[in-house]
Each structure stands twice: as structure tokens, then as C-alpha cells.
Amino acid sequence: MSDPDAKSETVLALPSNMTPSPVTSKGHPCSSLSVTYVSRRKLVEVVDGLLGVMTLSSTCKKPCVHSGSDEIAADNAWLAKCPSALSSFDQIIASMEGKKIALFLDYDGTLSPIVNDPEKAFMSPEMRSAVKNVAKFCPTAIVSGRSRDKVFEFVKLKELYYAGSHGMDILVPYSGSQSITNDDKEAKLFQPAREFLPMISEVNNSLVEATRSIKGANVENNKFCVSVHYRNVDKKDWKLVADIVDNVLNAFPRLKLTTGRKVLEVRPVIDWDKGKAVEFLLRSLRLDDPEIVLPIYIGDDRTDEDAFKVLRQRNCGYGILVSQVPKETEAIYSLRTPSEVMEFLNSLVRWKEQSP
């Protein structure tokens, strides 16, 4: 997917009611976007917290098998709170009566399995077909931490909308147009963190060099964020990875550190996330009327919680968490695996095909 920046430098502006509030920061004047200073002390606290998260995320490398009544009870309690979207499908479609669906999908862990090599996170032909078919009936967007170009190369479906870098890189149509391919002159970019591109490139280069000696470490440049994967790093070196990332970020106070599934992510400190990306897409596509549109967001990661929270706060639509283990979540329903996601998508297609 070629970058349309070469064709046009025009970038869409934030809707007036979504513009981040200015944040004052010592020694770092605010830009046109919300940028806040993160002190060295705060970064150390974050890194210390990451080590706990990293340890926790390693406790179940393969699908968990319940081995006792306590585990079964905990699983049942969680499913009572966050029931299966498959088991609850009739209830879900009943709430869709008379409404249009707007579908949002994470990629890694949702449409593709989590793999050791992030460059090989391929979706199956069957999953691609399921996504393609459901997009015939409802507007469908991929909202991923990957760069927009990279996730398009995995998905390869031009009929979808794409929001990369956790929603910091969105390709949307002009008003009245339904096309969003990069080759279409009716499509425009929305990039709220555009001014950070040189900084992101610089920190990427620094992290590549700093982690070069750590076996298994993988630094991925996702254009508006940098992902440091530690999935293949020996557990004894996890703290070293966190310390290195912390040390590099010490020179970049306008960048923040967040976590995903065995990944540390460096992102601009702006008030923007997947939840705000969903709101922006709904507005841009004129799908923000809860009386006639029901949004559904399916994702598996901590970063997807921002989108789940938005739908819960709007009291419209459903967040669906993909997880094999109980988790605290803002989602309303759950699915266990990407194969269950595919089954859910196929069920939506069958329902739409049978609808009058």
C-alpha cells in the first residue's frame, strides 16, 4: 500500500468537539495538540509496573486448560459477566433490529493468531473471506497498533477502512465518497500526531541500536509508534529490555510508554487512542447516530479497552474481547480465539443474507 503523502500534503483536522485540551508542561511548550511532559520519576514507575505486566503475560503461553473447580468457577463467573458473543448471538442481533452495523476489528490476536514473529502474523484465507463478506453488509474498519500500510499488506482488502498506529493514522473518504483506497483521490489522511514523525523515526533508530545485543528482541517501526517485542527474549533479560527502553525514552519526554501482549510501545503523549479513533471514524462516515447505528468492536489487547470503554460510555454498541482467560474488561461480550471471531463474522453474514 503506497503512502499517499507523496500525492497530497493535506491532512484532515480534528472535529471541533474532539480537539484535545491543551496541557501545560514545564520546559516543553504545548504544540497544536495535547502534549504533556513526563518526568524521569514517572517513567521509572511505569517501567517498574511493566515488569509485573510482562511476568503476568507469560503465565499462559498456550491455551489454558482448567484443572480444578476453582478455575472452572472463575471461568464461569467471568462468562456470566462477559458472556460468549456466539452463545448470545440471538440477543445481539435482536438489538440490531432496524439499525445499521458499524464493525471495528483489531488485527493481531483477533483476525490472526499471536505468533512469535510479528512479520508472520498472517490471517487465513478463510478469515479474509469472512471479513470480505461481512464488509458487503456493513462498514468495516481495521483499527490496529500496526502501521496502516503494514496492516493493509496483511489484510489486502480495499473495501475496508484502515486506522493504523492505534488510530493515529487514518485514511478516510471525502464527504459523500465511500472509497478509501490509497489510489483514490477522494481519500484523505487524518494524522493527529503528524508532527511527531521525525521524533518517532529517531527513537526507532535508537531502540534498534540499543537492543541489538539482546537475542530475540525485535523493534518494529509502526510509523506513529514504535513496538519493542520481547516475546522471543529470554525471561531473564526482560528487565534489561525495559531498562533499555526507559533509558532511550529519557531523551524523549514527549513520548510515553505503554504495554501490549509481550510488547512495549512508544507513543506520542497526545490525548488520542483507539477509542477516539472509533469516534472519529463514526463521525467521518456519518455513523454516529445511536438511533440508527450499532457499532461493534472486536479486539484482544489492552489498547482495545479504550474502544470498549467508548462504546460502553456511549451506551450504544458492543465491545467483544477475544481472550481464553478471564480478564478485567470494558467489553460486554467475549470470544475465545480468532476462529471464534471468524465464526461470529460468518454468523453475521448468514443473518444479513436471511434478513428481508
Side-chain angles (χ1 to χ4, degrees):
M1 203 178 193
S2 59
D3 195 328
D5 287 358
K7 298 182 180 180
S8 173
E9 289 298 321
T10 304
V11 179
L12 295 179
L14 277 165
S16 58
N17 69 339
M18 294 180 68
T19 304
S21 301
V23 178
T24 304
S25 55
K26 293 183 179 180
H28 295 273
C30 290
S31 65
S32 58
L33 292 175
S34 177
V35 179
T36 184
Y37 177 73
V38 183
S39 70
R40 170 68 180 174
R41 183 182 60 81
K42 180 65 174 178
L43 281 174
V44 169
E45 289 172 358
V46 170
V47 170
D48 287 345
L50 289 181
L51 296 177
V53 172
M54 293 164 84
T55 302
L56 179 63
S57 67
S58 71
T59 60
C60 187
K61 295 182 179 179
K62 296 181 179 180
C64 293
V65 177
H66 296 302
S67 57
S69 58
D70 289 344
E71 289 83 357
I72 294 174
D75 192 55
N76 289 339
W78 185 66
L79 286 175
K81 182 180 179 181
C82 195
S84 165
L86 292 175
S87 301
S88 308
F89 188 75
D90 288 344
Q91 179 181 340
I92 292 173
I93 61 174
S95 65
M96 297 178 186
E97 200 65 40
K99 293 185 178 181
K100 184 175 186 177
I101 304 170
L103 185 62
F104 301 90
L105 303 167
D106 180 34
Y107 182 75
D108 293 274
T110 300
L111 300 182
S112 72
I114 296 294
V115 295
N116 288 334
D117 184 351
E119 298 300 321
K120 296 180 179 178
F122 304 116
M123 65 192 301
S124 68
E126 293 79 13
M127 180 67 86
R128 182 172 291 103
S129 177
V131 175
K132 183 180 180 69
N133 288 335
V134 80
K136 296 175 183 177
F137 297 102
C138 60
T140 302
I142 307 295
V143 185
S144 173
R146 302 265 194 166
S147 72
R148 178 172 48 80
D149 289 351
K150 190 173 297 183
V151 77
F152 176 82
E153 289 302 316
F154 279 123
V155 179
K156 294 183 171 68
L157 293 174
K158 290 187 175 182
E159 54 266 58
L160 308 184
Y161 302 90
Y162 290 88
S165 303
H166 300 290
M168 288 182 283
D169 188 11
I170 306 176
L171 196 60
V172 295
Y174 270 136
S175 205
S177 169
Q178 290 301 309
S179 174
I180 47 77
T181 66
N182 275 359
D183 296 328
D184 198 307
K185 295 180 180 179
E186 296 303 306
K188 283 293 176 182
L189 283 172
F190 173 66
Q191 298 175 332
R194 187 180 179 87
E195 67 174 287
F196 288 87
L197 282 175
M199 191 182 301
I200 291 294
S201 179
E202 185 178 351
V203 79
N204 175 78
N205 293 339
S206 296
L207 287 169
V208 168
E209 185 61 33
T211 60
R212 194 180 300 278
S213 62
I214 301 178
K215 185 177 179 180
N218 183 1
V219 178
E220 181 181 14
N221 188 341
N222 285 310
K223 192 166 184 176
F224 289 93
C225 57
V226 179
S227 301
V228 182
H229 300 274
Y230 63 88
R231 180 170 299 274
N232 297 321
V233 174
D234 192 299
K235 187 175 180 178
K236 66 179 177 60
D237 291 328
W238 286 359
K239 187 179 187 305
L240 177 59
V241 173
D243 288 342
I244 286 175
V245 175
D246 179 39
N247 289 335
V248 170
L249 282 189
N250 194 37
F252 299 90
R254 294 172 68 201
L255 299 177
K256 65 181 178 180
L257 199 57
T258 61
T259 65
R261 293 178 64 172
K262 293 188 178 176
V263 62
L264 310 182
E265 294 191 306
V266 177
R267 299 161 60 180
V269 183
I270 65 170
D271 186 20
W272 197 261
D273 52 40
K274 287 185 175 182
K276 287 184 169 58
V278 167
E279 289 184 299
F280 177 80
L281 280 167
L282 288 172
R283 282 179 56 90
S284 299
L285 302 175
R286 300 179 181 179
L287 297 170
D288 58 340
D289 185 347
E291 297 297 319
I292 60 176
V293 178
L294 188 139
I296 295 176
Y297 188 106
I298 308 177
D300 76 305
D301 206 347
R302 182 175 289 102
T303 58
D304 298 308
E305 291 295 329
D306 295 314
F308 298 154
K309 186 176 181 179
V310 162
L311 296 187
R312 185 180 283 273
Q313 289 178 339
R314 288 165 60 101
N315 196 29
C316 71
Y318 301 118
I320 302 177
L321 173 67
V322 184
S323 176
Q324 295 186 23
V325 295
K327 291 181 180 179
E328 287 298 319
T329 181
E330 293 285 344
I332 296 177
Y333 294 105
S334 62
L335 293 167
R336 289 189 177 274
T337 61
S339 62
E340 285 198 356
V341 173
M342 184 171 66
E343 186 178 348
F344 181 81
L345 298 181
N346 286 333
S347 296
L348 282 178
V349 171
R350 287 193 296 270
W351 170 67
K352 293 297 291 185
E353 288 176 338
Q354 295 167 5
S355 299

Coordinates of all heavy atoms in Angstrom, one line a residue, residues 158-191:
K158 N -9.4 -3.8 -0.1 CA -9.5 -2.4 -0.3 C -10.9 -1.8 0.1 O -11.0 -0.6 0.2 CB -9.3 -2.1 -1.8 CG -7.9 -2.3 -2.3 CD -7.7 -1.8 -3.7 CE -6.2 -1.9 -4.1 NZ -6.0 -1.4 -5.5
E159 N -11.9 -2.7 0.3 CA -13.2 -2.2 0.7 C -13.3 -1.8 2.2 O -14.4 -1.4 2.6 CB -14.3 -3.2 0.3 CG -14.0 -4.6 0.9 CD -13.3 -5.5 -0.1 OE1 -12.2 -5.2 -0.5 OE2 -13.9 -6.6 -0.5
L160 N -12.2 -2.0 2.9 CA -12.3 -1.7 4.3 C -11.7 -0.3 4.6 O -11.1 0.3 3.8 CB -11.5 -2.7 5.1 CG -11.8 -4.2 4.9 CD1 -10.9 -5.0 5.9 CD2 -13.2 -4.5 5.1
Y161 N -12.0 0.2 5.8 CA -11.3 1.4 6.3 C -10.2 1.0 7.2 O -10.2 0.0 7.9 CB -12.3 2.3 7.1 CG -13.5 2.7 6.3 CD1 -14.7 1.9 6.3 CD2 -13.5 3.8 5.5 CE1 -15.8 2.2 5.5 CE2 -14.6 4.2 4.8 CZ -15.8 3.4 4.8 OH -16.8 3.7 4.0
Y162 N -9.1 1.8 7.2 CA -7.9 1.4 8.0 C -7.4 2.5 8.9 O -7.3 3.6 8.5 CB -6.7 1.0 7.0 CG -7.0 -0.3 6.3 CD1 -7.7 -0.3 5.1 CD2 -6.5 -1.5 6.8 CE1 -7.9 -1.5 4.4 CE2 -6.8 -2.7 6.1 CZ -7.4 -2.7 4.9 OH -7.7 -3.8 4.2
A163 N -7.3 2.1 10.2 CA -6.7 3.1 11.2 C -5.5 2.4 11.8 O -5.6 1.4 12.5 CB -7.7 3.4 12.2
G164 N -4.3 2.9 11.4 CA -3.1 2.3 11.9 C -2.5 3.1 13.1 O -3.0 4.1 13.5
S165 N -1.4 2.5 13.7 CA -0.7 3.2 14.8 C -1.7 3.6 15.9 O -1.7 4.7 16.4 CB 0.0 4.4 14.3 OG 0.9 4.1 13.3
H166 N -2.6 2.7 16.3 CA -3.5 2.9 17.4 C -4.5 4.1 17.1 O -4.9 4.8 17.9 CB -2.8 3.1 18.7 CG -2.0 2.0 19.2 ND1 -2.5 0.8 19.6 CD2 -0.7 1.8 19.2 CE1 -1.6 -0.1 19.9 NE2 -0.4 0.5 19.7
G167 N -4.8 4.2 15.8 CA -5.7 5.3 15.4 C -5.1 6.6 15.1 O -5.8 7.6 14.8
M168 N -3.7 6.7 15.1 CA -3.1 7.9 14.8 C -2.8 8.1 13.3 O -2.2 9.1 12.9 CB -1.7 8.0 15.6 CG -2.0 8.2 17.1 SD -0.4 8.4 18.0 CE 0.1 6.7 18.1
D169 N -3.2 7.2 12.5 CA -3.0 7.2 11.0 C -4.3 6.6 10.3 O -4.4 5.4 10.2 CB -1.8 6.5 10.6 CG -1.4 6.7 9.2 OD1 -2.0 7.6 8.5 OD2 -0.5 6.0 8.7
I170 N -5.2 7.5 9.9 CA -6.5 7.0 9.4 C -6.7 7.6 8.0 O -6.4 8.7 7.7 CB -7.7 7.5 10.3 CG1 -7.4 7.1 11.7 CG2 -9.0 6.9 9.8 CD1 -8.5 7.6 12.7
L171 N -7.1 6.7 7.1 CA -7.5 7.1 5.7 C -9.0 7.1 5.6 O -9.6 6.1 5.8 CB -6.9 6.1 4.7 CG -6.8 6.6 3.3 CD1 -5.9 7.8 3.2 CD2 -6.2 5.5 2.4
V172 N -9.5 8.3 5.4 CA -11.0 8.4 5.3 C -11.4 9.0 4.0 O -10.7 9.7 3.4 CB -11.5 9.2 6.5 CG1 -11.3 8.6 7.8 CG2 -10.9 10.6 6.5
P173 N -12.7 8.8 3.6 CA -13.2 9.4 2.3 C -13.6 10.8 2.5 O -13.9 11.3 3.6 CB -14.4 8.5 2.0 CG -14.9 8.1 3.3 CD -13.7 7.9 4.2
Y174 N -13.6 11.6 1.4 CA -14.2 12.9 1.5 C -15.7 12.7 1.7 O -16.2 11.6 1.5 CB -14.1 13.6 0.1 CG -12.8 14.4 0.0 CD1 -12.1 14.4 -1.2 CD2 -12.4 15.3 1.0 CE1 -10.9 15.2 -1.3 CE2 -11.3 16.1 0.9 CZ -10.6 16.0 -0.3 OH -9.4 16.8 -0.5
S175 N -16.3 13.8 2.2 CA -17.8 13.7 2.4 C -18.5 13.3 1.2 O -18.3 13.9 0.1 CB -18.2 15.1 2.9 OG -19.4 15.0 3.7
G176 N -19.3 12.3 1.3 CA -20.1 11.8 0.1 C -19.4 10.7 -0.6 O -20.1 10.1 -1.5
S177 N -18.2 10.4 -0.4 CA -17.5 9.3 -1.1 C -17.4 8.1 -0.1 O -17.2 8.3 1.0 CB -16.1 9.8 -1.5 OG -15.3 8.7 -1.9
Q178 N -17.5 6.9 -0.7 CA -17.3 5.7 0.1 C -16.0 5.0 -0.2 O -15.8 3.9 0.3 CB -18.5 4.8 -0.2 CG -19.8 5.3 0.3 CD -19.8 5.5 1.8 OE1 -19.4 4.6 2.6 NE2 -20.2 6.6 2.3
S179 N -15.2 5.6 -1.0 CA -13.9 5.0 -1.3 C -12.8 5.4 -0.4 O -12.7 6.6 -0.1 CB -13.5 5.3 -2.8 OG -12.2 4.8 -3.1
I180 N -12.0 4.5 0.0 CA -10.8 4.8 0.9 C -9.5 4.2 0.5 O -8.6 4.1 1.3 CB -11.2 4.5 2.4 CG1 -11.7 3.0 2.5 CG2 -12.1 5.4 3.0 CD1 -10.8 2.0 2.4
T181 N -9.4 3.8 -0.8 CA -8.1 3.2 -1.2 C -7.1 4.3 -1.4 O -7.5 5.4 -1.7 CB -8.3 2.4 -2.5 OG1 -8.6 3.4 -3.6 CG2 -9.4 1.4 -2.5
N182 N -5.9 4.0 -1.3 CA -4.8 5.0 -1.4 C -4.7 5.5 -2.8 O -4.1 6.6 -3.0 CB -3.5 4.4 -1.0 CG -3.3 4.5 0.5 OD1 -4.1 5.0 1.2 ND2 -2.1 3.9 1.0
D183 N -5.2 4.8 -3.8 CA -5.2 5.2 -5.2 C -6.3 6.2 -5.5 O -6.3 6.7 -6.6 CB -5.2 4.0 -6.1 CG -4.0 3.1 -5.9 OD1 -2.9 3.6 -5.6 OD2 -4.1 1.9 -6.1
D184 N -7.2 6.4 -4.6 CA -8.4 7.2 -4.9 C -8.1 8.6 -4.4 O -7.8 8.9 -3.3 CB -9.6 6.6 -4.2 CG -10.9 7.2 -4.8 OD1 -11.0 8.4 -4.9 OD2 -11.8 6.3 -5.2
K185 N -8.4 9.6 -5.3 CA -8.1 11.0 -5.0 C -9.2 11.5 -4.0 O -9.1 12.6 -3.5 CB -8.1 11.8 -6.3 CG -7.0 11.5 -7.2 CD -7.0 12.4 -8.4 CE -5.8 12.0 -9.3 NZ -5.8 12.8 -10.6
E186 N -10.3 10.7 -3.8 CA -11.3 11.2 -2.9 C -11.0 10.8 -1.4 O -11.8 11.0 -0.6 CB -12.7 10.6 -3.3 CG -13.2 11.0 -4.7 CD -13.3 12.5 -4.7 OE1 -14.0 13.1 -3.9 OE2 -12.7 13.1 -5.6
A187 N -9.9 10.2 -1.2 CA -9.5 9.8 0.2 C -8.5 10.8 0.8 O -7.6 11.3 0.1 CB -8.9 8.4 0.2
K188 N -8.6 11.0 2.1 CA -7.7 11.9 2.7 C -7.2 11.3 4.0 O -7.9 10.5 4.7 CB -8.3 13.3 3.0 CG -8.4 14.2 1.8 CD -7.1 14.6 1.3 CE -7.1 15.4 0.0 NZ -5.8 15.8 -0.4
L189 N -6.0 11.8 4.5 CA -5.4 11.3 5.7 C -5.9 12.1 6.9 O -6.1 13.3 6.8 CB -3.9 11.4 5.6 CG -3.2 10.3 4.8 CD1 -1.7 10.7 4.7 CD2 -3.3 9.0 5.4
F190 N -6.0 11.4 8.0 CA -6.1 12.1 9.3 C -5.0 11.5 10.2 O -5.0 10.3 10.5 CB -7.5 11.7 10.0 CG -7.6 12.3 11.4 CD1 -7.6 13.6 11.6 CD2 -7.7 11.4 12.4 CE1 -7.7 14.1 12.9 CE2 -7.7 11.9 13.7 CZ -7.8 13.3 14.0
Q191 N -4.1 12.4 10.6 CA -2.9 12.1 11.4 C -2.7 13.1 12.5 O -1.9 14.0 12.4 CB -1.7 12.0 10.5 CG -1.8 10.9 9.4 CD -0.6 11.0 8.4 OE1 0.0 12.0 8.2 NE2 -0.3 9.8 7.8

